[in-house]
Amino acid sequence: MTGEESAESAAGAGTDRPLVRSLRLGLDAPRTGPLQAALALASAPLGWLDAHRAGFLHGDEEALLTDRLHPRRRHGLLIGRYAAKCALAALRPDLDPRTLAIRPGVLEQPVLSGARPENLGISLSHAGPVAIAVAYPEACPMGVDLEWIRPANVALLTRQTTAAERRLLADHLGGPESERLTRLWCLKEALSKALRCGLTVPLDLLAVSRVEAGPTGLGVTFAHFAQYRGLSVAAGGLAAALVLPRPPAVTLAIDAAEWAAFREALAEAAARETAA
């Protein structure tokens, strides 16, 4: 069962269904052979997530939902887990997502465990009621990030980036500065997740060194981690990034039309929140 099918089955007829978009990623890795990963985007109101959480939460995840949890944090926890379970369902439809638990590690990184996870990893990020997640084989580490594009954050994001990075983005990407800086931030945070260090290192170590436009959108490489590449997309006020190993270690096979549909889903998720 795919993430979209799971969402529709759980919602039932006549209800406000969540938005779910899943995308399978083909990975050609010479050292290990062909691999598969799955990316998922999800948006849902807190009421729907609470009403249907038994359909996607593991018991250990349910235990995290204490009465003292602020509604905003509760929403973030639920939508993040929901997106992650949609990604896992898209990657491994034979597994029941409720048998897999995503627990916080010692550095608050998501750690997947449960029935037959088979060396799968998970990276997730949420921005209000919207979340993105990637389920991947641990042989091919990945990271994702999702952020709202807000003009009010320009001054802060400028301090967190270098002049060289800002020039690179400006040379390859038009539009508002707030979008360029937010996409740059997403790429750096996604890299920190792939590295499993989080934002505990000097941000200059995560610097972008090269930018190019391609059929799947904006692509980058990193100054100090040349073995990784990043993909960036933005739509409707949301920016997202995916980081994974670069060729020759891994060649990503992704259909441009499917990537465009994923971008459209990002715009729709942003529009839902704006209209709410």
Side-chain angles (χ1 to χ4, degrees), residues 162-201:
T162 67
E165 289 176 308
R166 295 192 294 274
R167 284 194 299 270
L168 278 171
L169 265 291
D171 288 344
H172 292 82
L173 186 66
E177 185 179 19
S178 56
E179 179 184 328
R180 292 196 299 271
L181 290 171
T182 305
R183 291 174 77 164
L184 182 56
W185 175 263
C186 284
L187 286 160
K188 297 171 97 167
E189 185 153 5
L191 173 63
S192 78
K193 293 177 180 180
L195 295 172
R196 289 294 186 97
C197 64
L199 297 176
T200 61
V201 299

PDB file of all heavy atoms in Angstrom, residues 162-201:
ATOM      1  N   THR A 162      27.783  32.631   3.905  1.00  0.00           N
ATOM      2  CA  THR A 162      28.951  33.404   3.503  1.00  0.00           C
ATOM      3  C   THR A 162      28.620  34.248   2.268  1.00  0.00           C
ATOM      4  O   THR A 162      27.692  33.934   1.508  1.00  0.00           O
ATOM      5  CB  THR A 162      30.138  32.488   3.165  1.00  0.00           C
ATOM      6  OG1 THR A 162      29.822  31.736   1.967  1.00  0.00           O
ATOM      7  CG2 THR A 162      30.415  31.509   4.311  1.00  0.00           C
ATOM      8  N   ALA A 163      29.416  35.293   2.066  1.00  0.00           N
ATOM      9  CA  ALA A 163      29.210  36.151   0.901  1.00  0.00           C
ATOM     10  C   ALA A 163      29.385  35.362  -0.390  1.00  0.00           C
ATOM     11  O   ALA A 163      28.656  35.568  -1.377  1.00  0.00           O
ATOM     12  CB  ALA A 163      30.184  37.322   0.949  1.00  0.00           C
ATOM     13  N   ALA A 164      30.341  34.423  -0.400  1.00  0.00           N
ATOM     14  CA  ALA A 164      30.571  33.605  -1.597  1.00  0.00           C
ATOM     15  C   ALA A 164      29.352  32.748  -1.918  1.00  0.00           C
ATOM     16  O   ALA A 164      28.965  32.602  -3.091  1.00  0.00           O
ATOM     17  CB  ALA A 164      31.804  32.731  -1.398  1.00  0.00           C
ATOM     18  N   GLU A 165      28.733  32.162  -0.903  1.00  0.00           N
ATOM     19  CA  GLU A 165      27.538  31.355  -1.122  1.00  0.00           C
ATOM     20  C   GLU A 165      26.393  32.206  -1.666  1.00  0.00           C
ATOM     21  O   GLU A 165      25.682  31.804  -2.590  1.00  0.00           O
ATOM     22  CB  GLU A 165      27.094  30.712   0.191  1.00  0.00           C
ATOM     23  CG  GLU A 165      27.979  29.613   0.713  1.00  0.00           C
ATOM     24  CD  GLU A 165      27.508  29.113   2.059  1.00  0.00           C
ATOM     25  OE1 GLU A 165      27.315  29.939   2.980  1.00  0.00           O
ATOM     26  OE2 GLU A 165      27.321  27.898   2.185  1.00  0.00           O
ATOM     27  N   ARG A 166      26.227  33.378  -1.101  1.00  0.00           N
ATOM     28  CA  ARG A 166      25.140  34.248  -1.544  1.00  0.00           C
ATOM     29  C   ARG A 166      25.329  34.674  -2.996  1.00  0.00           C
ATOM     30  O   ARG A 166      24.364  34.753  -3.761  1.00  0.00           O
ATOM     31  CB  ARG A 166      25.021  35.459  -0.621  1.00  0.00           C
ATOM     32  CG  ARG A 166      24.617  35.100   0.809  1.00  0.00           C
ATOM     33  CD  ARG A 166      24.225  36.315   1.618  1.00  0.00           C
ATOM     34  NE  ARG A 166      25.342  37.227   1.866  1.00  0.00           N
ATOM     35  CZ  ARG A 166      26.195  37.114   2.875  1.00  0.00           C
ATOM     36  NH1 ARG A 166      26.069  36.109   3.741  1.00  0.00           N
ATOM     37  NH2 ARG A 166      27.158  37.991   3.046  1.00  0.00           N
ATOM     38  N   ARG A 167      26.581  34.922  -3.388  1.00  0.00           N
ATOM     39  CA  ARG A 167      26.847  35.277  -4.787  1.00  0.00           C
ATOM     40  C   ARG A 167      26.537  34.096  -5.708  1.00  0.00           C
ATOM     41  O   ARG A 167      25.981  34.277  -6.796  1.00  0.00           O
ATOM     42  CB  ARG A 167      28.303  35.715  -4.948  1.00  0.00           C
ATOM     43  CG  ARG A 167      28.601  37.120  -4.423  1.00  0.00           C
ATOM     44  CD  ARG A 167      29.938  37.610  -4.918  1.00  0.00           C
ATOM     45  NE  ARG A 167      31.046  36.773  -4.467  1.00  0.00           N
ATOM     46  CZ  ARG A 167      31.713  36.966  -3.337  1.00  0.00           C
ATOM     47  NH1 ARG A 167      31.375  37.974  -2.535  1.00  0.00           N
ATOM     48  NH2 ARG A 167      32.717  36.171  -3.003  1.00  0.00           N
ATOM     49  N   LEU A 168      26.927  32.898  -5.289  1.00  0.00           N
ATOM     50  CA  LEU A 168      26.644  31.713  -6.092  1.00  0.00           C
ATOM     51  C   LEU A 168      25.150  31.550  -6.351  1.00  0.00           C
ATOM     52  O   LEU A 168      24.723  31.302  -7.485  1.00  0.00           O
ATOM     53  CB  LEU A 168      27.174  30.464  -5.389  1.00  0.00           C
ATOM     54  CG  LEU A 168      28.653  30.118  -5.543  1.00  0.00           C
ATOM     55  CD1 LEU A 168      29.022  28.986  -4.607  1.00  0.00           C
ATOM     56  CD2 LEU A 168      28.967  29.746  -6.985  1.00  0.00           C
ATOM     57  N   LEU A 169      24.368  31.680  -5.309  1.00  0.00           N
ATOM     58  CA  LEU A 169      22.920  31.527  -5.462  1.00  0.00           C
ATOM     59  C   LEU A 169      22.354  32.628  -6.342  1.00  0.00           C
ATOM     60  O   LEU A 169      21.499  32.378  -7.203  1.00  0.00           O
ATOM     61  CB  LEU A 169      22.241  31.535  -4.095  1.00  0.00           C
ATOM     62  CG  LEU A 169      21.944  30.186  -3.430  1.00  0.00           C
ATOM     63  CD1 LEU A 169      20.858  29.447  -4.185  1.00  0.00           C
ATOM     64  CD2 LEU A 169      23.186  29.334  -3.316  1.00  0.00           C
ATOM     65  N   ALA A 170      22.826  33.856  -6.129  1.00  0.00           N
ATOM     66  CA  ALA A 170      22.316  34.981  -6.921  1.00  0.00           C
ATOM     67  C   ALA A 170      22.639  34.817  -8.399  1.00  0.00           C
ATOM     68  O   ALA A 170      21.863  35.227  -9.270  1.00  0.00           O
ATOM     69  CB  ALA A 170      22.896  36.291  -6.387  1.00  0.00           C
ATOM     70  N   ASP A 171      23.775  34.197  -8.717  1.00  0.00           N
ATOM     71  CA  ASP A 171      24.169  33.991 -10.111  1.00  0.00           C
ATOM     72  C   ASP A 171      23.293  32.961 -10.818  1.00  0.00           C
ATOM     73  O   ASP A 171      23.207  32.961 -12.056  1.00  0.00           O
ATOM     74  CB  ASP A 171      25.634  33.535 -10.194  1.00  0.00           C
ATOM     75  CG  ASP A 171      26.615  34.653  -9.874  1.00  0.00           C
ATOM     76  OD1 ASP A 171      26.208  35.834  -9.881  1.00  0.00           O
ATOM     77  OD2 ASP A 171      27.795  34.326  -9.592  1.00  0.00           O
ATOM     78  N   HIS A 172      22.677  32.065 -10.062  1.00  0.00           N
ATOM     79  CA  HIS A 172      21.933  30.969 -10.676  1.00  0.00           C
ATOM     80  C   HIS A 172      20.438  30.987 -10.370  1.00  0.00           C
ATOM     81  O   HIS A 172      19.692  30.164 -10.917  1.00  0.00           O
ATOM     82  CB  HIS A 172      22.499  29.622 -10.214  1.00  0.00           C
ATOM     83  CG  HIS A 172      23.869  29.340 -10.723  1.00  0.00           C
ATOM     84  ND1 HIS A 172      25.001  29.849 -10.123  1.00  0.00           N
ATOM     85  CD2 HIS A 172      24.300  28.625 -11.799  1.00  0.00           C
ATOM     86  CE1 HIS A 172      26.066  29.442 -10.789  1.00  0.00           C
ATOM     87  NE2 HIS A 172      25.670  28.704 -11.809  1.00  0.00           N
ATOM     88  N   LEU A 173      20.026  31.867  -9.493  1.00  0.00           N
ATOM     89  CA  LEU A 173      18.635  31.851  -9.054  1.00  0.00           C
ATOM     90  C   LEU A 173      18.126  33.271  -8.897  1.00  0.00           C
ATOM     91  O   LEU A 173      18.670  34.050  -8.109  1.00  0.00           O
ATOM     92  CB  LEU A 173      18.522  31.101  -7.716  1.00  0.00           C
ATOM     93  CG  LEU A 173      17.118  30.862  -7.169  1.00  0.00           C
ATOM     94  CD1 LEU A 173      16.342  29.916  -8.086  1.00  0.00           C
ATOM     95  CD2 LEU A 173      17.194  30.278  -5.759  1.00  0.00           C
ATOM     96  N   GLY A 174      17.094  33.600  -9.654  1.00  0.00           N
ATOM     97  CA  GLY A 174      16.467  34.897  -9.506  1.00  0.00           C
ATOM     98  C   GLY A 174      15.475  34.881  -8.358  1.00  0.00           C
ATOM     99  O   GLY A 174      15.482  33.993  -7.508  1.00  0.00           O
ATOM    100  N   GLY A 175      14.586  35.850  -8.337  1.00  0.00           N
ATOM    101  CA  GLY A 175      13.567  35.888  -7.312  1.00  0.00           C
ATOM    102  C   GLY A 175      14.032  36.553  -6.045  1.00  0.00           C
ATOM    103  O   GLY A 175      15.141  37.091  -5.953  1.00  0.00           O
ATOM    104  N   PRO A 176      13.205  36.506  -5.009  1.00  0.00           N
ATOM    105  CA  PRO A 176      13.487  37.216  -3.774  1.00  0.00           C
ATOM    106  C   PRO A 176      14.715  36.659  -3.044  1.00  0.00           C
ATOM    107  O   PRO A 176      14.995  35.451  -3.085  1.00  0.00           O
ATOM    108  CB  PRO A 176      12.219  37.007  -2.934  1.00  0.00           C
ATOM    109  CG  PRO A 176      11.188  36.503  -3.878  1.00  0.00           C
ATOM    110  CD  PRO A 176      11.906  35.813  -4.974  1.00  0.00           C
ATOM    111  N   GLU A 177      15.407  37.539  -2.356  1.00  0.00           N
ATOM    112  CA  GLU A 177      16.556  37.110  -1.567  1.00  0.00           C
ATOM    113  C   GLU A 177      16.140  36.141  -0.468  1.00  0.00           C
ATOM    114  O   GLU A 177      16.885  35.217  -0.121  1.00  0.00           O
ATOM    115  CB  GLU A 177      17.256  38.328  -0.963  1.00  0.00           C
ATOM    116  CG  GLU A 177      18.538  37.990  -0.221  1.00  0.00           C
ATOM    117  CD  GLU A 177      19.218  39.218   0.352  1.00  0.00           C
ATOM    118  OE1 GLU A 177      18.550  40.264   0.494  1.00  0.00           O
ATOM    119  OE2 GLU A 177      20.422  39.124   0.656  1.00  0.00           O
ATOM    120  N   SER A 178      14.942  36.343   0.067  1.00  0.00           N
ATOM    121  CA  SER A 178      14.468  35.451   1.134  1.00  0.00           C
ATOM    122  C   SER A 178      14.389  34.015   0.649  1.00  0.00           C
ATOM    123  O   SER A 178      14.700  33.075   1.396  1.00  0.00           O
ATOM    124  CB  SER A 178      13.101  35.913   1.651  1.00  0.00           C
ATOM    125  OG  SER A 178      12.161  35.991   0.600  1.00  0.00           O
ATOM    126  N   GLU A 179      13.998  33.804  -0.611  1.00  0.00           N
ATOM    127  CA  GLU A 179      13.941  32.440  -1.144  1.00  0.00           C
ATOM    128  C   GLU A 179      15.337  31.860  -1.302  1.00  0.00           C
ATOM    129  O   GLU A 179      15.594  30.711  -0.925  1.00  0.00           O
ATOM    130  CB  GLU A 179      13.220  32.400  -2.493  1.00  0.00           C
ATOM    131  CG  GLU A 179      13.176  30.995  -3.080  1.00  0.00           C
ATOM    132  CD  GLU A 179      12.548  30.929  -4.452  1.00  0.00           C
ATOM    133  OE1 GLU A 179      11.641  31.727  -4.731  1.00  0.00           O
ATOM    134  OE2 GLU A 179      12.970  30.057  -5.251  1.00  0.00           O
ATOM    135  N   ARG A 180      16.253  32.634  -1.866  1.00  0.00           N
ATOM    136  CA  ARG A 180      17.614  32.127  -2.063  1.00  0.00           C
ATOM    137  C   ARG A 180      18.251  31.741  -0.735  1.00  0.00           C
ATOM    138  O   ARG A 180      18.867  30.669  -0.608  1.00  0.00           O
ATOM    139  CB  ARG A 180      18.482  33.184  -2.761  1.00  0.00           C
ATOM    140  CG  ARG A 180      18.082  33.468  -4.185  1.00  0.00           C
ATOM    141  CD  ARG A 180      19.187  34.195  -4.933  1.00  0.00           C
ATOM    142  NE  ARG A 180      19.514  35.473  -4.348  1.00  0.00           N
ATOM    143  CZ  ARG A 180      18.919  36.622  -4.662  1.00  0.00           C
ATOM    144  NH1 ARG A 180      17.941  36.631  -5.551  1.00  0.00           N
ATOM    145  NH2 ARG A 180      19.295  37.758  -4.107  1.00  0.00           N
ATOM    146  N   LEU A 181      18.118  32.601   0.262  1.00  0.00           N
ATOM    147  CA  LEU A 181      18.745  32.325   1.554  1.00  0.00           C
ATOM    148  C   LEU A 181      18.093  31.132   2.257  1.00  0.00           C
ATOM    149  O   LEU A 181      18.782  30.341   2.908  1.00  0.00           O
ATOM    150  CB  LEU A 181      18.666  33.565   2.452  1.00  0.00           C
ATOM    151  CG  LEU A 181      19.545  34.742   2.024  1.00  0.00           C
ATOM    152  CD1 LEU A 181      19.222  35.974   2.859  1.00  0.00           C
ATOM    153  CD2 LEU A 181      21.019  34.396   2.159  1.00  0.00           C
ATOM    154  N   THR A 182      16.782  31.005   2.128  1.00  0.00           N
ATOM    155  CA  THR A 182      16.095  29.876   2.765  1.00  0.00           C
ATOM    156  C   THR A 182      16.476  28.568   2.094  1.00  0.00           C
ATOM    157  O   THR A 182      16.699  27.544   2.766  1.00  0.00           O
ATOM    158  CB  THR A 182      14.571  30.073   2.724  1.00  0.00           C
ATOM    159  OG1 THR A 182      14.236  31.328   3.313  1.00  0.00           O
ATOM    160  CG2 THR A 182      13.860  28.954   3.485  1.00  0.00           C
ATOM    161  N   ARG A 183      16.598  28.567   0.777  1.00  0.00           N
ATOM    162  CA  ARG A 183      17.015  27.358   0.083  1.00  0.00           C
ATOM    163  C   ARG A 183      18.449  26.988   0.452  1.00  0.00           C
ATOM    164  O   ARG A 183      18.778  25.801   0.627  1.00  0.00           O
ATOM    165  CB  ARG A 183      16.860  27.547  -1.422  1.00  0.00           C
ATOM    166  CG  ARG A 183      15.406  27.631  -1.844  1.00  0.00           C
ATOM    167  CD  ARG A 183      15.227  27.957  -3.316  1.00  0.00           C
ATOM    168  NE  ARG A 183      15.466  26.796  -4.162  1.00  0.00           N
ATOM    169  CZ  ARG A 183      15.086  26.726  -5.435  1.00  0.00           C
ATOM    170  NH1 ARG A 183      14.454  27.745  -5.995  1.00  0.00           N
ATOM    171  NH2 ARG A 183      15.337  25.646  -6.148  1.00  0.00           N
ATOM    172  N   LEU A 184      19.283  27.981   0.603  1.00  0.00           N
ATOM    173  CA  LEU A 184      20.662  27.733   1.029  1.00  0.00           C
ATOM    174  C   LEU A 184      20.687  27.128   2.424  1.00  0.00           C
ATOM    175  O   LEU A 184      21.423  26.169   2.692  1.00  0.00           O
ATOM    176  CB  LEU A 184      21.443  29.042   0.978  1.00  0.00           C
ATOM    177  CG  LEU A 184      22.930  29.006   1.329  1.00  0.00           C
ATOM    178  CD1 LEU A 184      23.673  28.008   0.464  1.00  0.00           C
ATOM    179  CD2 LEU A 184      23.531  30.410   1.169  1.00  0.00           C
ATOM    180  N   TRP A 185      19.896  27.677   3.329  1.00  0.00           N
ATOM    181  CA  TRP A 185      19.824  27.141   4.698  1.00  0.00           C
ATOM    182  C   TRP A 185      19.336  25.692   4.686  1.00  0.00           C
ATOM    183  O   TRP A 185      19.890  24.834   5.389  1.00  0.00           O
ATOM    184  CB  TRP A 185      18.898  28.005   5.539  1.00  0.00           C
ATOM    185  CG  TRP A 185      18.691  27.454   6.907  1.00  0.00           C
ATOM    186  CD1 TRP A 185      17.649  26.687   7.342  1.00  0.00           C
ATOM    187  CD2 TRP A 185      19.573  27.589   8.024  1.00  0.00           C
ATOM    188  NE1 TRP A 185      17.818  26.347   8.659  1.00  0.00           N
ATOM    189  CE2 TRP A 185      18.989  26.887   9.097  1.00  0.00           C
ATOM    190  CE3 TRP A 185      20.782  28.233   8.209  1.00  0.00           C
ATOM    191  CZ2 TRP A 185      19.595  26.821  10.352  1.00  0.00           C
ATOM    192  CZ3 TRP A 185      21.381  28.166   9.455  1.00  0.00           C
ATOM    193  CH2 TRP A 185      20.791  27.462  10.512  1.00  0.00           C
ATOM    194  N   CYS A 186      18.290  25.411   3.889  1.00  0.00           N
ATOM    195  CA  CYS A 186      17.762  24.040   3.810  1.00  0.00           C
ATOM    196  C   CYS A 186      18.838  23.063   3.348  1.00  0.00           C
ATOM    197  O   CYS A 186      18.953  21.950   3.888  1.00  0.00           O
ATOM    198  CB  CYS A 186      16.578  23.995   2.846  1.00  0.00           C
ATOM    199  SG  CYS A 186      15.038  24.656   3.484  1.00  0.00           S
ATOM    200  N   LEU A 187      19.617  23.462   2.360  1.00  0.00           N
ATOM    201  CA  LEU A 187      20.675  22.584   1.847  1.00  0.00           C
ATOM    202  C   LEU A 187      21.706  22.283   2.924  1.00  0.00           C
ATOM    203  O   LEU A 187      22.144  21.138   3.089  1.00  0.00           O
ATOM    204  CB  LEU A 187      21.341  23.234   0.640  1.00  0.00           C
ATOM    205  CG  LEU A 187      20.515  23.231  -0.653  1.00  0.00           C
ATOM    206  CD1 LEU A 187      21.013  24.289  -1.620  1.00  0.00           C
ATOM    207  CD2 LEU A 187      20.540  21.845  -1.300  1.00  0.00           C
ATOM    208  N   LYS A 188      22.075  23.299   3.689  1.00  0.00           N
ATOM    209  CA  LYS A 188      23.083  23.090   4.728  1.00  0.00           C
ATOM    210  C   LYS A 188      22.531  22.226   5.866  1.00  0.00           C
ATOM    211  O   LYS A 188      23.230  21.347   6.386  1.00  0.00           O
ATOM    212  CB  LYS A 188      23.567  24.448   5.252  1.00  0.00           C
ATOM    213  CG  LYS A 188      24.263  25.275   4.187  1.00  0.00           C
ATOM    214  CD  LYS A 188      24.547  26.685   4.646  1.00  0.00           C
ATOM    215  CE  LYS A 188      25.964  26.802   5.139  1.00  0.00           C
ATOM    216  NZ  LYS A 188      26.382  28.219   5.299  1.00  0.00           N
ATOM    217  N   GLU A 189      21.295  22.457   6.236  1.00  0.00           N
ATOM    218  CA  GLU A 189      20.722  21.637   7.313  1.00  0.00           C
ATOM    219  C   GLU A 189      20.507  20.199   6.851  1.00  0.00           C
ATOM    220  O   GLU A 189      20.719  19.258   7.627  1.00  0.00           O
ATOM    221  CB  GLU A 189      19.410  22.234   7.816  1.00  0.00           C
ATOM    222  CG  GLU A 189      18.863  21.490   9.008  1.00  0.00           C
ATOM    223  CD  GLU A 189      17.992  22.321   9.915  1.00  0.00           C
ATOM    224  OE1 GLU A 189      17.715  23.477   9.596  1.00  0.00           O
ATOM    225  OE2 GLU A 189      17.599  21.792  10.973  1.00  0.00           O
ATOM    226  N   ALA A 190      20.090  20.010   5.593  1.00  0.00           N
ATOM    227  CA  ALA A 190      19.946  18.644   5.077  1.00  0.00           C
ATOM    228  C   ALA A 190      21.289  17.926   5.059  1.00  0.00           C
ATOM    229  O   ALA A 190      21.370  16.728   5.376  1.00  0.00           O
ATOM    230  CB  ALA A 190      19.330  18.666   3.683  1.00  0.00           C
ATOM    231  N   LEU A 191      22.365  18.638   4.708  1.00  0.00           N
ATOM    232  CA  LEU A 191      23.695  18.030   4.756  1.00  0.00           C
ATOM    233  C   LEU A 191      24.057  17.633   6.181  1.00  0.00           C
ATOM    234  O   LEU A 191      24.589  16.532   6.421  1.00  0.00           O
ATOM    235  CB  LEU A 191      24.743  19.006   4.202  1.00  0.00           C
ATOM    236  CG  LEU A 191      26.209  18.562   4.346  1.00  0.00           C
ATOM    237  CD1 LEU A 191      26.473  17.272   3.560  1.00  0.00           C
ATOM    238  CD2 LEU A 191      27.161  19.671   3.890  1.00  0.00           C
ATOM    239  N   SER A 192      23.764  18.496   7.138  1.00  0.00           N
ATOM    240  CA  SER A 192      24.092  18.176   8.534  1.00  0.00           C
ATOM    241  C   SER A 192      23.352  16.929   9.006  1.00  0.00           C
ATOM    242  O   SER A 192      23.863  16.170   9.830  1.00  0.00           O
ATOM    243  CB  SER A 192      23.764  19.365   9.437  1.00  0.00           C
ATOM    244  OG  SER A 192      22.380  19.467   9.725  1.00  0.00           O
ATOM    245  N   LYS A 193      22.163  16.685   8.478  1.00  0.00           N
ATOM    246  CA  LYS A 193      21.408  15.481   8.837  1.00  0.00           C
ATOM    247  C   LYS A 193      22.000  14.246   8.175  1.00  0.00           C
ATOM    248  O   LYS A 193      22.070  13.177   8.795  1.00  0.00           O
ATOM    249  CB  LYS A 193      19.940  15.654   8.458  1.00  0.00           C
ATOM    250  CG  LYS A 193      19.224  16.719   9.275  1.00  0.00           C
ATOM    251  CD  LYS A 193      17.787  16.891   8.814  1.00  0.00           C
ATOM    252  CE  LYS A 193      17.077  17.955   9.621  1.00  0.00           C
ATOM    253  NZ  LYS A 193      15.675  18.140   9.181  1.00  0.00           N
ATOM    254  N   ALA A 194      22.423  14.376   6.921  1.00  0.00           N
ATOM    255  CA  ALA A 194      23.066  13.248   6.249  1.00  0.00           C
ATOM    256  C   ALA A 194      24.353  12.860   6.954  1.00  0.00           C
ATOM    257  O   ALA A 194      24.707  11.680   7.044  1.00  0.00           O
ATOM    258  CB  ALA A 194      23.338  13.590   4.784  1.00  0.00           C
ATOM    259  N   LEU A 195      25.062  13.859   7.496  1.00  0.00           N
ATOM    260  CA  LEU A 195      26.323  13.616   8.203  1.00  0.00           C
ATOM    261  C   LEU A 195      26.102  13.139   9.637  1.00  0.00           C
ATOM    262  O   LEU A 195      27.047  12.734  10.312  1.00  0.00           O
ATOM    263  CB  LEU A 195      27.165  14.898   8.240  1.00  0.00           C
ATOM    264  CG  LEU A 195      27.657  15.430   6.891  1.00  0.00           C
ATOM    265  CD1 LEU A 195      28.299  16.798   7.078  1.00  0.00           C
ATOM    266  CD2 LEU A 195      28.638  14.461   6.253  1.00  0.00           C
ATOM    267  N   ARG A 196      24.860  13.249  10.116  1.00  0.00           N
ATOM    268  CA  ARG A 196      24.504  12.889  11.496  1.00  0.00           C
ATOM    269  C   ARG A 196      25.190  13.783  12.539  1.00  0.00           C
ATOM    270  O   ARG A 196      25.401  13.363  13.672  1.00  0.00           O
ATOM    271  CB  ARG A 196      24.843  11.418  11.788  1.00  0.00           C
ATOM    272  CG  ARG A 196      23.955  10.403  11.087  1.00  0.00           C
ATOM    273  CD  ARG A 196      22.510  10.466  11.599  1.00  0.00           C
ATOM    274  NE  ARG A 196      21.685   9.417  11.060  1.00  0.00           N
ATOM    275  CZ  ARG A 196      21.420   8.268  11.696  1.00  0.00           C
ATOM    276  NH1 ARG A 196      21.954   8.043  12.874  1.00  0.00           N
ATOM    277  NH2 ARG A 196      20.641   7.372  11.135  1.00  0.00           N
ATOM    278  N   CYS A 197      25.540  14.994  12.151  1.00  0.00           N
ATOM    279  CA  CYS A 197      26.125  15.908  13.130  1.00  0.00           C
ATOM    280  C   CYS A 197      25.134  16.984  13.542  1.00  0.00           C
ATOM    281  O   CYS A 197      25.295  17.624  14.581  1.00  0.00           O
ATOM    282  CB  CYS A 197      27.396  16.562  12.570  1.00  0.00           C
ATOM    283  SG  CYS A 197      27.111  17.628  11.146  1.00  0.00           S
ATOM    284  N   GLY A 198      24.094  17.206  12.745  1.00  0.00           N
ATOM    285  CA  GLY A 198      23.168  18.282  13.026  1.00  0.00           C
ATOM    286  C   GLY A 198      23.892  19.620  12.982  1.00  0.00           C
ATOM    287  O   GLY A 198      25.031  19.717  12.516  1.00  0.00           O
ATOM    288  N   LEU A 199      23.231  20.642  13.470  1.00  0.00           N
ATOM    289  CA  LEU A 199      23.832  21.976  13.453  1.00  0.00           C
ATOM    290  C   LEU A 199      24.678  22.199  14.702  1.00  0.00           C
ATOM    291  O   LEU A 199      24.556  23.214  15.396  1.00  0.00           O
ATOM    292  CB  LEU A 199      22.734  23.031  13.326  1.00  0.00           C
ATOM    293  CG  LEU A 199      21.932  22.950  12.024  1.00  0.00           C
ATOM    294  CD1 LEU A 199      20.807  23.973  12.022  1.00  0.00           C
ATOM    295  CD2 LEU A 199      22.832  23.134  10.811  1.00  0.00           C
ATOM    296  N   THR A 200      25.551  21.224  14.974  1.00  0.00           N
ATOM    297  CA  THR A 200      26.457  21.326  16.129  1.00  0.00           C
ATOM    298  C   THR A 200      27.864  21.688  15.689  1.00  0.00           C
ATOM    299  O   THR A 200      28.769  21.729  16.517  1.00  0.00           O
ATOM    300  CB  THR A 200      26.503  19.983  16.886  1.00  0.00           C
ATOM    301  OG1 THR A 200      27.010  18.965  16.004  1.00  0.00           O
ATOM    302  CG2 THR A 200      25.117  19.590  17.381  1.00  0.00           C
ATOM    303  N   VAL A 201      28.045  21.933  14.397  1.00  0.00           N
ATOM    304  CA  VAL A 201      29.360  22.261  13.852  1.00  0.00           C
ATOM    305  C   VAL A 201      29.327  23.697  13.337  1.00  0.00           C
ATOM    306  O   VAL A 201      28.248  24.236  13.058  1.00  0.00           O
ATOM    307  CB  VAL A 201      29.754  21.297  12.718  1.00  0.00           C
ATOM    308  CG1 VAL A 201      29.824  19.870  13.234  1.00  0.00           C
ATOM    309  CG2 VAL A 201      28.767  21.393  11.546  1.00  0.00           C
TER     310      VAL A 201
END
